[in-house]
Amino acid sequence: MIIRGPAYSFAANITVEACTNSMMMGDFCNSPVYPFSCTTSNVNSSLKATTANEPLLENLMTCKSSLKTFCADESVSNVFSFDIISVADKFTITASDVKFNVTPSNKTSGAAGDVSLMCFVRHGSMPSVASYDYSSDLSKFPLVIHSPLIGRWYITIVPINPIKIQDSNVSVCYSVEYHVLQCPLGKAGPNCKMDIYTLQTFVRRGPTPFESYYLPVGTGASYTSANFPLEPLLSNSSYNDEPGNIWTYLLLDIPRGAAGGNIHVQLSSDVKINYEVYVRFGGVPSLISRDYYYVNKTMRSDTSMFFMLYDLSDDKINFYIMYAREGTWGFGLRYLNASRNPSKGATVMSLSLERCPKRCSSHGDCKFSFDASGLTSYSFCSCDRNHGGIDCSIEIVSHQGHVRQSFFLIVSNAAAILPAYWALRQKALAEWVLFTSSGIASGLYHACDVGAWCALNYNVLQFMDFWLSFMAVISTFLYLATIDEVLKRAIHTAVAILTALMAVTNATRSSNVVLVIVIGALGLLIGWVIELSTKYRSLSFSVRFSLNFSHSLRVIKRWLCNLVGTLLRRYHWPFALAGFSALSMAIVSWTLETSENYWFWHSFWHISIYTSSFFFLCSKANIVDSENQLPENGNYELTHQDSLPRAS
């Protein structure tokens, strides 16, 4: 298919300004980022359970900076960083010992208790007053973040004193620390009552790289299949002892080389599925904290280029998470049936990392492209001409429609028979060969373009189609000029070189149609000029211009009348007007082409452009101008009469 939509060229330049030392920040990289160092302690000696039903956590990580006390002027921030390397239940940021570094003078009103310690927290990047994930006033209460994401966190603390301190040497000092609470091994969720399973990766062998499936360890699942039952993984307790609120968590890890693949999630059962699926990158999901989710057909994440749903029914859930990032992905399965009677039906789940979704639906090929590092590959479907979409599942045209469109695009080139027949009848063999070759080349090109049969390489067929079409249009104009064959061959050679360059460099641009017509009209004009300069070179005003103005006007008027008379006798103007009309229709059809109606308007282009050439060829009249013909022997014989009387 020929695409003539607008094309844009652009250059992108991405500049990242950063400090060479990751623990420095600021415009001049002179402000430190204070890291926390952590120690693990038994929660029994550090925290006590708030309720009798709340189980004790396995460990409590207490993290502090090497500097015990930090001092800063008002509205001057200190930045801290810490890493969470595994799934945690929550972390808490606290500040203590808020005071001034020196005793303020009598001129200063207020106390350290009036100072607010505003805390801004962000995952993966520096927080600020305008951009942050969480915030709190640490002078009033700690900041608690539940189910934090795995990775690096940054904390910005800014002292704000509503009562201004007049002493310039007075700063606000404080101590800050954070606690990370982790559940026992195999437990997660609220109060660490739910079960969590780390999935093991099994690489699939095949031509597609970085494809794998995931199975829970130690559950008796068969490692030869990507499916595993869910009922044996259900937790024995529910959140807050609420029936129908049982959660089971699954964790899988995607390495860097496999990033860019698609996570395929499937659930199937013999009965109605009683599970809700929640997905989160970097931690365990919940009803509030999730990236993607599926509850039912009406309650789910919006379908986008990163979340695709398939085969949704009461007994089947099937969706893809597209272009998954490297790192840890958490899946939360919320079981809604409080009775949990396995005899009613078993639910089977499958988690796999695939390249092209649905294997391109058997309507395309899976292609790969690597990023700049060469370590991460991204896959995409190259669909056949009848299908489209990210997975080639969208039928662009039906089989019957494809046959109909192919028939019109190929058979419409039979219109080249009209100008070819007339050229052969007039014994214009060069034009006959050109029109015949153009029709055949266009038919072969479109047969290859629609996927029927490629006689030669696609690029070769496209070049031949456009080049011969350009030549056919221009040759039609040159045929209308009556000039010497030597000059006509010279113009043909120059035009062949120029049109070949046009066909090999962006042949499908719309401006080529106008350019070809201009070249043809220019060739016809040059032919007329050569012919007229030869025929009227003996005119007296062309040698010397008379000083009598009225006489000059009469000569010019007579010359113009002769020129108009010659043009009227030279062409059959009804055929010429029909040719111009068909040419206008061809130009209109060229501009109206889109990807949806291409087959119709391009077929109409074939018919109209060849029909216009036929009418133009018919418009040339076979007139022999006896005024310009010389005698056959090419000599003029002068006779004279002897003025002397003959002798008798």
Side-chain angles (χ1 to χ4, degrees), residues 493-516:
T493 303
V495 167
I497 296 174
L498 182 59
T499 53
L501 292 175
M502 293 169 54
V504 79
T505 56
N506 198 5
T508 60
R509 57 189 175 189
S510 299
S511 59
N512 281 342
V513 176
V514 179
L515 186 58
V516 167

Side-chain angles (χ1 to χ4, degrees), residues 470-483:
F470 296 160
M471 285 294 298
V473 173
I474 298 176
S475 296
T476 301
F477 285 93
L478 295 179
Y479 176 81
L480 300 178
T482 305
I483 56 177

Side-chain angles (χ1 to χ4, degrees), residues 414-613:
I417 296 176
L418 294 175
Y421 165 76
W422 186 260
L424 182 61
R425 181 178 179 181
Q426 300 300 318
K427 298 182 180 180
L429 298 182
E431 284 75 11
W432 170 70
V433 172
L434 192 57
F435 284 112
T436 303
S437 302
S438 176
I440 294 174
S442 183
L444 293 177
Y445 163 66
H446 286 288
C448 182
D449 187 47
V450 299
W453 176 63
C454 293
L456 296 172
N457 180 270
Y458 178 84
N459 293 330
V460 174
L461 293 175
Q462 187 182 64
F463 168 78
M464 293 297 297
D465 176 33
F466 281 87
W467 180 52
L468 292 175
S469 298
F470 296 160
M471 285 294 298
V473 173
I474 298 176
S475 296
T476 301
F477 285 93
L478 295 179
Y479 176 81
L480 300 178
T482 305
I483 56 177
D484 187 78
E485 287 297 325
V486 176
L487 293 175
K488 185 177 291 188
R489 286 198 301 268
I491 297 176
H492 264 288
T493 303
V495 167
I497 296 174
L498 182 59
T499 53
L501 292 175
M502 293 169 54
V504 79
T505 56
N506 198 5
T508 60
R509 57 189 175 189
S510 299
S511 59
N512 281 342
V513 176
V514 179
L515 186 58
V516 167
I517 295 175
V518 170
I519 294 174
L522 184 61
L524 177 60
L525 181 61
I526 293 174
W528 283 347
V529 170
I530 295 174
E531 179 181 355
L532 293 176
S533 63
T534 303
K535 183 175 182 180
Y536 297 108
R537 65 176 180 265
S538 60
L539 290 177
S540 59
F541 75 91
S542 64
V543 179
R544 62 184 185 277
F545 196 83
S546 175
L547 296 177
N548 190 335
F549 182 72
S550 60
H551 176 71
S552 300
L553 288 179
R554 287 195 298 271
V555 173
I556 294 174
K557 183 178 180 180
R558 186 171 63 254
W559 182 84
L560 291 176
C561 291
N562 292 335
L563 176 62
V564 172
T566 301
L567 292 178
L568 291 176
R569 293 192 305 271
R570 183 64 53 81
Y571 302 105
H572 300 299
W573 286 101
F575 286 104
L577 293 177
F580 281 114
S581 299
L583 182 61
S584 301
M585 296 170 62
I587 297 175
V588 171
S589 64
W590 181 280
T591 58
L592 292 178
E593 288 181 12
T594 63
S595 57
E596 291 79 12
N597 59 26
Y598 169 80
W599 66 275
F600 175 79
W601 286 114
H602 197 71
S603 300
F604 190 77
W605 151 266
H606 291 157
I607 297 173
S608 56
I609 196 66
Y610 285 127
T611 303
S612 67
S613 296

Side-chain angles (χ1 to χ4, degrees), residues 205-269:
R205 295 183 178 181
T208 307
F210 300 116
E211 284 201 336
S212 57
Y213 59 92
Y214 299 88
L215 296 176
V217 180
T219 58
S222 174
Y223 296 159
T224 60
S225 173
N227 300 324
F228 57 90
L230 287 181
E231 278 70 21
L233 306 180
L234 290 179
S235 302
N236 295 323
S237 58
S238 61
Y239 176 57
N240 290 335
D241 294 328
E242 297 177 1
N245 198 8
I246 301 174
W247 286 77
T248 300
Y249 299 101
L250 306 174
L251 293 180
L252 63 86
D253 184 72
I254 297 180
R256 181 177 183 183
N262 309 310
I263 300 178
H264 189 192
V265 182
Q266 297 183 88
L267 280 81
S268 60
S269 178

Side-chain angles (χ1 to χ4, degrees), residues 12-35:
N13 185 21
I14 300 176
T15 302
V16 179
E17 296 182 359
C19 301
T20 56
N21 187 348
S22 61
M23 302 311 295
M24 300 297 293
M25 60 171 291
D27 295 337
F28 303 99
C29 296
N30 56 355
S31 300
V33 177
Y34 301 103

